[in-house]
Amino acid sequence: MEHGSWLTGSLVYLGAAVLAVPVARFLGLGSIIGYLGAGILIGPWGLKFVTSPDEILQFAEFGVVLMLFLVGLELEPQRLWSLRKTIFGWGNFQLFGSAALLLLGALAFGIDWRLAVVAGLGLAMSSTAIGLGVLAERNLMATTSGESILSVSLLQDMAAIPILALVPFLAVAAGHEGGGGGWLGAAQAIGTIAVIILGGRLLLRPMLRWIARSDTPEIFTAASLLLVVATAALMNAVGLSMALGAFLAGVLLAESEYRRELETDIEPFKGLLLGLFFIAVGMSIDFAIVLRQPWVIAGVVVGFLLVKAVALWAMTRLMPIPRIERPVFIILLAQGGEFGFVVFQTAAQAGVVSAPVSSLLVAAVAISMLLTPLLLVAADRWWIPMLAGSKRKADVEELREPQDAPVIIAGFGRYGQIVGRMLYANGVKPTVLDHDAEAIEALRKFGWPVFYGDATRLDLMRTAGADNARVLVLAIDDTLQSVECAKMVRENFPDVAIVARARNVQHYYELYELGVTLIERETLDSALMTARSALELLGWQPHQARNLALRFRRHNVAQLAAIAPHRKDEARLIAAAKQGRQQLEELFAIERQQAAERQARAGWSAVNPQPPVPP
């Protein structure tokens, strides 16, 4: 296919992704394993649609660059500075600690020390693309483990230049001609980083402001891509990680007024190119090496995964990472990384390792990347539930003593905590239940008497005092568990009044059908407060904006109750919703007209030329 057209190539790549990724997601394997599987399917050892994956791999690495740029946009310089200890402390511990263990293991097997150094450093690197991709897919970037993985990945990117600079010296030690210039390369790298930081501070925002004034969206998109490409090219010219350069550019723009627009412009390209990168990784696995030396490959893969896992496990014992997050942290950093490809290829070109050994190590890294999503699936099913169970039994005992509080709060997340604070402030001490052991541990540190328990269990609700309680505040995050709890309480404790939180309209209707009438949608009041502020800024008086918001709220709640019987009839539901919206608009229009007429009769304009009720 390499001699064919780009149109044919696009058809193959997009077709493979569109077919493989939904199947992988349906099987619960995640999109990354779908992309990797698609690459194996269309690659040289599959259907042979692509026989030279190296070229597309170099192009697809730009997806990693765009991903790091977007990550940088989410990290303001102050927040990045707060991570400096994690980056340079634990990042160095992971990289060089793992490399040292791998080096000692290789030497124990009688491997030449130069090959052991290259293999140790190359295998100690982790995949930034898969690691951050999984964190984004699972929405874990803001967690403790997510920030730790990001910090370690940044250190690995920064370590790129000294590791690559070391390879020529190893070549000289091995008796091969190697290029010098290690110190010169380091000086160039430092200078380039300084240019990016100073240029970003002084030039980036004025340049984007000037381009934005053209009021041409496609040019701003082109400028966004130009910014990332130029930064990556500058870093690549001095042998540094392109992704690190893009990350620095993102951090410098994290506080700019164009941050969200840049994210919107870059995100579609990032997703497509990152998927293409994973496809290229799948295609790059040399199954000839695997079939020729399967046990050697298996030994290398299992060996370096276990060695790195031991080092990472030791880190989690010392770092403030919750136990429930440790499996993801260990698995995502134990794998090999795309930078290992560069290290082994550079070492082979310099003569430090032979071409067959380089191919074997590259295959081992690619297979570890392929195994990572599968290991995560296994961890989700067995390892993480086991940790959650042991955590619950060891540190958070289930509610056992009968309670007699007048109020029970089921679910103590961000919504339930506000309810709890309001009740406590007024002298009401509720019985609080939550099923998240990690959250309970954190809440107890702040003095909240929260009990572990599943509020859908009848026996637990009896222990919580539901027989004598007057009110149940239903604030469970999960909609299915929320409905199940409401159903159980309505059937077994009919005298308990349920005040429920609805995540959305669908959740509202499900609770309403169970006979729950006191239901509050979690976003309704905050949205109305925002609307009130907008009206006041446009000229409405505060009391008028408040009254309009209250009437809108009453109308909206009444409309939901009126159309509830027809919610499964889409045609009637749409018609009723349109009719209700039209009635509300007409009612507010009449009131505005009447207010304007009253003001005119009272001679308002003679007293104040700017009326409080806008036309």
Side-chain angles (χ1 to χ4, degrees):
M1 191 197 70
E2 59 271 23
H3 300 296
S5 67
W6 273 100
L7 184 62
T8 305
S10 301
L11 177 64
V12 171
Y13 291 121
L14 293 175
V18 168
L19 292 175
V21 173
V23 171
R25 297 277 294 187
F26 176 77
L27 296 175
L29 301 176
S31 59
I32 293 176
I33 196 69
Y35 285 120
L36 292 169
I40 295 172
L41 181 65
I42 65 175
W45 304 98
L47 299 177
K48 301 186 187 305
F49 289 141
V50 180
T51 56
S52 180
D54 293 340
E55 296 178 4
I56 197 65
L57 180 62
Q58 293 176 358
F59 173 73
E61 283 179 358
F62 196 62
V64 184
V65 173
L66 294 177
M67 179 179 65
L68 264 294
F69 177 73
L70 293 178
V71 171
L73 284 177
E74 296 295 331
L75 280 177
E76 297 177 355
Q78 293 85 350
R79 186 179 168 205
L80 181 63
W81 179 251
S82 69
L83 294 175
R84 65 190 183 280
K85 293 182 179 178
T86 308
I87 294 173
F88 294 103
W90 295 115
N92 277 314
F93 183 93
Q94 185 279 327
L95 177 60
F96 296 108
S98 297
L101 291 176
L102 291 169
L103 170 63
L104 293 175
L107 292 175
F109 280 93
I111 296 175
D112 180 76
W113 70 271
R114 286 167 289 270
L115 172 57
V117 169
V118 170
L121 290 172
L123 296 176
M125 308 294 284
S126 308
S127 174
T128 300
I130 292 181
L132 300 189
V134 169
L135 292 177
E137 189 175 41
R138 296 180 172 223
N139 197 26
L140 297 175
M141 191 65 76
T143 63
T144 305
S145 60
E147 289 189 346
S148 301
I149 291 170
L150 172 62
S151 300
V152 172
S153 299
L154 291 176
L155 188 280
Q156 292 179 1
D157 283 335
M158 286 186 279
I161 188 67
I163 291 175
L164 287 178
L166 178 64
V167 172
F169 292 106
L170 293 175
V172 172
H176 299 283
E177 292 185 2
W183 293 109
L184 178 60
Q188 290 177 337
I190 294 172
T192 301
I193 293 176
V195 167
I196 291 176
I197 294 176
L198 293 176
R201 285 287 185 185
L202 300 175
L203 300 176
L204 281 184
R205 291 190 189 181
M207 181 191 74
L208 291 174
R209 194 175 295 117
W210 176 69
I211 294 171
R213 289 198 191 103
S214 68
D215 198 24
T216 310
E218 63 272 18
I219 295 301
F220 193 89
T221 301
S224 304
L225 291 173
L226 175 63
L227 168 64
V228 181
V229 172
T231 308
L234 188 60
M235 296 290 277
N236 188 57
V238 295
L240 271 177
S241 166
M242 295 187 295
L244 177 61
F247 175 79
L248 289 175
V251 170
L252 294 172
L253 291 170
E255 295 178 321
S256 76
E257 62 271 33
Y258 303 107
R259 168 184 167 187
R260 294 302 175 194
E261 191 167 358
L262 287 167
E263 288 180 341
T264 303
D265 288 342
I266 296 295
E267 183 68 35
F269 299 98
K270 184 268 292 185
L272 285 173
L273 288 174
L274 200 57
L276 185 60
F277 171 79
F278 293 130
I279 290 176
V281 170
M283 291 188 299
S284 67
I285 299 177
D286 190 345
F287 284 97
I289 294 288
V290 176
L291 295 175
R292 192 161 53 242
Q293 304 181 63
W295 297 113
V296 175
I297 291 283
V300 172
V301 172
V302 174
F304 88 80
L305 286 177
L306 288 177
V307 167
K308 292 178 70 176
V310 168
L312 292 165
W313 177 82
M315 289 173 59
T316 62
R317 303 285 292 180
L318 302 173
M319 297 174 69
I321 297 179
R323 290 184 63 186
I324 206 73
E325 296 178 15
R326 291 175 186 175
V328 173
F329 176 83
I330 291 173
I331 291 173
L332 290 183
L333 291 177
Q335 63 178 319
E338 53 274 1
F339 186 72
F341 298 154
V342 181
V343 172
F344 300 140
Q345 289 170 357
T346 303
Q349 292 170 358
V352 179
V353 301
S354 64
V357 171
S358 174
S359 298
L360 185 147
L361 292 173
V362 167
V365 169
I367 290 174
S368 74
M369 296 168 72
L370 177 64
L371 290 176
T372 297
L374 298 175
L375 292 174
L376 286 171
V377 172
D380 288 337
R381 294 182 181 177
W382 294 294
W383 191 2
I384 293 176
M386 181 180 66
L387 286 178
S390 64
K391 182 70 175 177
R392 175 179 65 82
K393 293 175 183 177
D395 301 327
V396 187
E397 287 295 328
E398 197 172 78
L399 177 64
R400 299 187 184 278
E401 297 296 326
Q403 306 293 311
D404 59 356
V407 179
I408 300 173
I409 300 179
F412 210 57
R414 54 189 175 86
Y415 191 96
Q417 288 175 36
I418 295 175
V419 177
R421 290 174 62 186
M422 181 70 173
L423 293 176
Y424 269 94
N426 287 277
V428 179
K429 295 183 178 180
T431 298
V432 181
L433 300 175
D434 199 283
H435 69 281
D436 188 332
E438 294 287 344
I440 292 173
E441 184 182 31
L443 289 166
R444 286 184 175 178
K445 292 179 181 178
F446 289 90
W448 287 107
V450 185
F451 296 102
Y452 180 89
D454 182 355
T456 63
R457 285 172 45 190
L458 176 60
D459 61 329
L460 188 68
M461 289 300 289
R462 290 195 188 280
T463 307
D467 287 309
N468 300 314
R470 295 169 56 189
V471 178
L472 168 68
V473 177
L474 188 54
I476 298 174
D477 285 337
D478 187 271
T479 57
L480 294 177
Q481 290 186 351
S482 172
V483 172
E484 186 67 24
C485 181
K487 183 178 180 181
M488 182 270 293
V489 171
R490 291 288 296 171
E491 291 176 352
N492 296 279
F493 310 102
D495 295 332
V496 177
I498 300 177
V499 182
R501 162 261 197 111
R503 303 281 317 244
N504 47 49
V505 173
Q506 179 66 27
H507 189 196
Y508 177 97
Y509 283 137
E510 291 178 354
L511 293 169
Y512 186 85
E513 289 179 350
L514 292 174
V516 181
T517 56
L518 299 174
I519 310 172
E520 299 296 336
R521 280 178 289 156
E522 62 180 21
T523 57
L524 177 60
D525 286 319
S526 58
L528 288 176
M529 289 295 292
T530 301
R532 282 177 55 182
S533 299
L535 290 175
E536 291 174 16
L537 291 172
L538 292 172
W540 271 259
Q541 293 296 319
H543 72 279
Q544 293 171 327
R546 175 181 177 276
N547 290 336
L548 289 171
L550 290 175
R551 286 216 297 279
F552 181 94
R553 192 185 196 286
R554 287 196 297 270
H555 178 274
N556 187 267
V557 172
Q559 184 186 23
L560 278 180
I563 64 179
H566 315 299
R567 72 181 187 90
K568 295 182 180 179
D569 186 340
E570 185 178 3
R572 294 186 64 179
L573 183 66
I574 294 174
K578 289 182 177 179
Q579 182 181 6
R581 185 168 65 247
Q582 183 178 358
Q583 289 174 349
L584 185 64
E585 291 172 357
E586 292 173 353
L587 174 63
F588 281 2
I590 293 173
E591 290 183 357
R592 288 197 302 272
Q593 181 64 30
Q594 291 174 346
E597 291 174 355
R598 286 195 300 269
Q599 292 165 3
R601 286 195 299 270
W604 178 274
S605 55
V607 178
N608 186 347
Q610 186 172 359
V613 180

